[in-house]
């Protein structure tokens, strides 16, 4: 039997939980790199600023978004898609920072997805009241690749549903430093985020930042 220094109540190190088949929470996995990650988010946002995109139905998204990597997820009146040029800046998205890529690959490998090579990172910024309605992520070409998400700043209540929109959702609190790997049977499950509660995070202030690493192409 192996002893794990982080096991047990009151531990402060990484903890792993399963949210059901294919969904693995690595609590605190990004904590040791939070400053580097936040500094890289800032650099990305200088090249491609956060913006509130418009849905095909004409609604302004409450979550502000930007991207880095070869491909970026965008929405406008014409639909959802991955684009290799930032439509606001008219230039390719900023390169994926090395610290992002390293973290995403390590987390994926830990959850059993060796060789994960994301070519897109969507960066979501939530202000108080911002939310994400239940949806599936299905604009990517290959659903055998997982999605890796990294939460920074204020905590949020994440909704993890089923294969159909009407299926009931589990509520999962995602806090600063938590990383989740969504693959296999979890990859196409409905999910969303409850409206962010106001608060103050010592490193991030009044926002929540979420990074999602994807293989778009
Ligand atoms: C489960 N973002 O950007 S991350 C999104 O917190 C998105 O900003 C949320 O949903 C956020 O599309 C949730 C967790 C997440 C991301 C992708 C998933 C969970 C997922 C894909 C399939 C199943
Ligand atoms: Fe999503």
């Amino acid at each position: 039997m192996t002893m794990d220094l982080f096991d047990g109540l009151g531990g402060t190190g990484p903890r792993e939980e399963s949210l059901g088949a294919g969904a693995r929470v690595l609590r605190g996995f990004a904590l040791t790199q939070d400053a580097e990650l936040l500094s890289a988010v800032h650099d990305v946002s200088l090249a491609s600023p956060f913006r509130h995109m418009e849905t095909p139905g004409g609604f302004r998204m409450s979550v502000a978004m930007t991207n880095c990597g070869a491909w970026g997820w965008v929405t406008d009146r014409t639909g959802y898609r991955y684009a290799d040029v930032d439509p606001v800046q008219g230039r390719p998205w900023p390169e994926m920072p090395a610290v992002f890529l390293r973290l995403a690959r390590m987390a994926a490998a830990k959850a059993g997805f060796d060789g994960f090579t994301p070519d897109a990172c969507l960066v979501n910024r939530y202000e108080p009241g911002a939310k994400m309605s239940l949806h599936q992520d299905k604009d990517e070409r290959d659903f055998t690749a997982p999605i890796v998400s990294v939460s920074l700043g204020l905590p949020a209540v994440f909704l993890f549903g089923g294969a159909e929109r009407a299926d009931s959702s589990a509520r999962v609190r995602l806090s600063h430093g938590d990383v989740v790997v969504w693959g296999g049977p979890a990859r196409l499950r409905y999910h969303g985020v409850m409206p962010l509660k106001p608060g103050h995070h010592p490193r991030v202030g009044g926002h929540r930042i979420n990074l999602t690493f994807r293989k778009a192409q």
Side-chain angles (χ1 to χ4, degrees):
M1 194 184 131
T2 53
M3 292 283 286
D4 188 333
L5 290 171
F6 298 127
D7 273 355
L9 294 172
T12 53
R15 293 130 307 203
E16 283 193 46
E17 299 161 26
S18 169
L19 294 180
R24 205 146 191 81
V25 189
L26 311 174
R27 294 280 180 204
F29 193 79
L31 270 185
T32 58
Q33 292 157 89
D34 65 344
E36 291 89 341
L37 293 167
L38 289 164
S39 156
V41 168
H42 183 70
D43 292 344
V44 165
S45 76
L46 290 179
S48 279
F50 285 104
R51 79 288 308 260
H52 293 272
M53 297 184 196
E54 195 178 5
T55 67
F59 295 99
R60 172 191 191 261
M61 294 192 76
S62 59
V63 178
M65 300 175 161
T66 185
N67 291 275
C68 60
W71 296 93
W73 186 85
V74 296
T75 174
D76 60 20
R77 293 304 297 253
T78 71
Y80 306 130
R81 65 192 171 278
Y82 281 94
D84 57 1
V85 167
D86 173 353
V88 169
Q89 301 293 80
R91 288 194 293 271
W93 300 99
E95 205 176 305
M96 199 178 298
V99 62
F100 279 24
L101 195 57
R102 211 160 44 229
L103 181 72
R105 294 181 66 91
M106 280 186 54
K110 197 147 206 259
F113 293 92
D114 281 305
F116 177 53
T117 311
D119 56 10
C121 175
L122 172 62
V123 185
N124 294 325
R125 189 185 68 193
Y126 294 74
E127 58 189 86
K131 65 176 172 61
M132 202 173 279
S133 306
L134 276 185
H135 68 278
Q136 293 171 296
D137 288 19
K138 50 181 188 185
D139 300 318
E140 301 74 26
R141 197 169 272 173
D142 174 9
F143 299 139
T144 68
I147 290 182
V148 173
S149 77
V150 178
S151 292
L152 296 167
L154 291 176
V157 178
F158 174 75
L159 299 171
F160 193 39
E164 314 279 346
R165 186 184 295 278
D167 292 345
S168 67
S169 298
R171 283 166 161 69
V172 184
R173 188 178 148 101
L174 292 179
S175 301
H176 182 76
D178 291 346
V179 176
V180 193
V181 182
W182 318 86
R187 179 63 182 76
L188 287 173
R189 281 172 66 170
Y190 276 88
H191 57 278
V193 179
M194 295 284 286
L196 191 78
K197 291 218 177 83
H200 178 82
H201 186 279
R203 290 258 159 107
V204 186
H207 291 100
R208 169 175 187 258
I209 303 278
N210 181 265
L211 315 174
T212 50
F213 295 94
R214 300 127 184 280
K215 185 159 166 44
Q217 296 291 314

